[in-house]
Amino acid sequence: MNNGRFATALHILTLLDIKKGELLSSEFIAGSINVNPAIVRKEIGNLRALGFIESKEGKGGGYTLGKSSSKITLSEVYRAVNDSPLLGRANDPNPDCPVGRQINDHLKDLFSTADELFLKQLDKITVKDFVKRFE
Amino acid sequence: MNNGRFATALHILTLLDIKKGELLSSEFIAGSINVNPAIVRKEIGNLRALGFIESKEGKGGGYTLGKSSSKITLSEVYRAVNDSPLLGRANDPNPDCPVGRQINDHLKDLFSTADELFLKQLDKITVKDFVKRFE
DNA sequence: CATACTGTAATAATTTTAATTACAGTACAA
DNA sequence: TTGTACTGTAATTAAAATTATTACAGTATG
C-alpha cells in the first residue's frame, strides 16, 4: 500500500480540473503538492498512459486533463497507483509450520474481499465529485 | 498503514488458539512467523494490554489467549495495531495554494469513510472464524 | 542458585519511499 | 537557427519507516 502516491495523483488531477483550459507545468504542480517536480512528471507519466492526462512538450508546454473529470473515478486513480490497496506488506512465515504455511493465503483472501469493497466505494466517486469539495 | 503488524498479531492469535491449553514461548511463535522473538514479545505486550493474551513470566512461562477466540473480532485486532487502516502517509502540501490547503482534509474524509466500511466487515469475523480456515 | 523464560529499551540494519541531479529530447519564439 | 523553457526518464542520494538485533533486568521454577 502507498497512499502518498494516491494523494499525489489525486492532487494533480484536482489541480488540472480546477485550472481547466490552462497548461500547468510540473513545477507549478509540484509547488502545490510540495514535492519534487521530477516526481510529478513521473506520476503523470503513469496517469498519462491511462489517458487521464495529456502533455505537451517543449517551451510553453505542460499538462491538461486527458478526459473529463466526470469520467475518471477514484477507483481508477487508486488502481493506477496501487494494485492492492489493503494487502500491503506481508510476513515471510515458516513453511514448515502448518499455520505459517497457510496464513498468507488466508490473509490475502481477507484483504482481497476488503479491497473489492473499498474500490466499489471509490468507484462511485469521480474526480469531479472530489473537486466539488473544494468549493 | 501497516499490515505487517496486523499479520503478525493475527498469526500470534491463530497459533494460541490452535495450541489452546499450552503455554507458547515467544521463540516458538517467532519461529512460525519467522520474525525476531523480541518483536513477538513487543506485539504481545500490546495485545495483552487489550486482554486478548495472557502471559506467564519465568521459567516454563509463555503465552495463552486471554479470552475466547470467538470473542475477538478482526476489527479489534486491526485497531490494536493501527488507528486508521487506509489513511496512511499523507503529503505535506503548500498551504498557500487553495488546493494544497484543503486536500488533506478531503482525503481524510474519504479514507475515514472507507475505514469504517472496512472495519465493519472485519467486525463480522472473529479470530475463531479465521482459525477455521486452517482446517 | 542455575535455568528458562518475559519485559523492555537502545541500537543497528534493512527496506521503502521520496528527493535530487542530470541530461537528452522537443517546441516555441526572437 | 539559436536560446529558452519545458517534458521524459534514469541514476543516484537521502530520508523515513520498519524490522532485526542485542542486551539485560525481572520473575518463576525446580
Side-chain angles (χ1 to χ4, degrees):
Chain A
M1 220 218 48
N2 177 357
N3 282 332
R5 271 185 74 194
F6 177 72
T8 299
L10 189 51
H11 196 141
I12 292 168
L13 292 166
T14 298
L15 285 172
L16 292 176
D17 191 36
I18 285 176
K19 301 260 183 188
K20 217 165 357 197
E22 297 177 45
L23 278 174
L24 305 186
S25 70
S26 62
E27 198 182 337
F28 173 84
I29 294 170
S32 170
I33 307 176
N34 193 27
V35 295
N36 196 283
I39 291 202
V40 171
R41 296 202 286 269
K42 197 176 168 195
E43 192 61 71
I44 284 181
N46 179 33
L47 297 169
R48 185 187 43 215
L50 296 161
F52 301 151
I53 292 180
E54 281 173 6
S55 63
K56 190 183 172 207
E57 291 193 10
K59 187 176 177 182
Y63 305 99
T64 56
L65 284 181
K67 59 196 289 190
S68 163
S69 62
S70 65
K71 303 272 186 190
I72 305 172
T73 68
L74 298 196
S75 66
E76 289 175 305
V77 178
Y78 217 114
R79 282 188 213 272
V81 300
N82 200 323
D83 273 347
S84 177
L86 286 160
L87 185 51
R89 180 196 181 80
N91 288 321
D92 179 29
N94 184 349
D96 296 332
C97 169
V99 171
R101 185 161 54 241
Q102 296 181 59
I103 194 165
N104 275 353
D105 286 340
H106 296 318
L107 286 170
K108 201 175 162 192
D109 286 350
L110 207 62
F111 285 120
S112 67
T113 305
D115 269 359
E116 283 168 27
L117 215 78
F118 173 52
L119 290 171
K120 200 176 279 180
Q121 284 303 109
L122 288 190
D123 204 44
K124 296 176 188 160
I125 307 170
T126 65
V127 170
K128 190 176 181 186
D129 295 329
F130 186 73
V131 170
K132 279 191 194 134
R133 303 186 182 203
F134 289 86
E135 285 162 11
Chain B
M1 220 219 47
N2 178 356
N3 282 331
R5 271 186 74 195
F6 177 71
T8 299
L10 189 51
H11 195 141
I12 292 168
L13 292 166
T14 298
L15 285 172
L16 292 175
D17 191 35
I18 284 176
K19 301 259 183 188
K20 218 164 357 196
E22 298 177 43
L23 278 174
L24 305 186
S25 70
S26 61
E27 198 182 336
F28 173 85
I29 295 170
S32 171
I33 307 178
N34 193 26
V35 296
N36 196 285
I39 291 201
V40 171
R41 295 202 288 268
K42 197 176 170 197
E43 192 60 71
I44 285 181
N46 179 33
L47 297 168
R48 185 186 45 215
L50 296 161
F52 300 151
I53 292 179
E54 281 173 5
S55 62
K56 191 185 170 204
E57 291 192 11
K59 187 176 176 180
Y63 305 100
T64 57
L65 284 180
K67 59 195 290 191
S68 163
S69 62
S70 65
K71 302 272 187 188
I72 306 172
T73 68
L74 298 196
S75 67
E76 289 175 305
V77 178
Y78 218 114
R79 282 187 213 273
V81 299
N82 200 326
D83 274 347
S84 177
L86 286 160
L87 185 50
R89 178 196 181 80
N91 288 320
D92 180 28
N94 184 350
D96 296 333
C97 167
V99 171
R101 187 161 52 242
Q102 296 181 59
I103 194 164
N104 274 352
D105 286 342
H106 296 317
L107 285 170
K108 202 176 161 189
D109 285 352
L110 207 60
F111 285 120
S112 67
T113 305
D115 269 358
E116 282 169 28
L117 213 77
F118 172 54
L119 290 171
K120 199 175 281 180
Q121 284 303 109
L122 288 190
D123 205 43
K124 296 175 188 160
I125 306 169
T126 65
V127 170
K128 190 176 180 186
D129 296 328
F130 186 74
V131 170
K132 280 190 195 134
R133 302 186 184 203
F134 289 85
E135 286 162 10

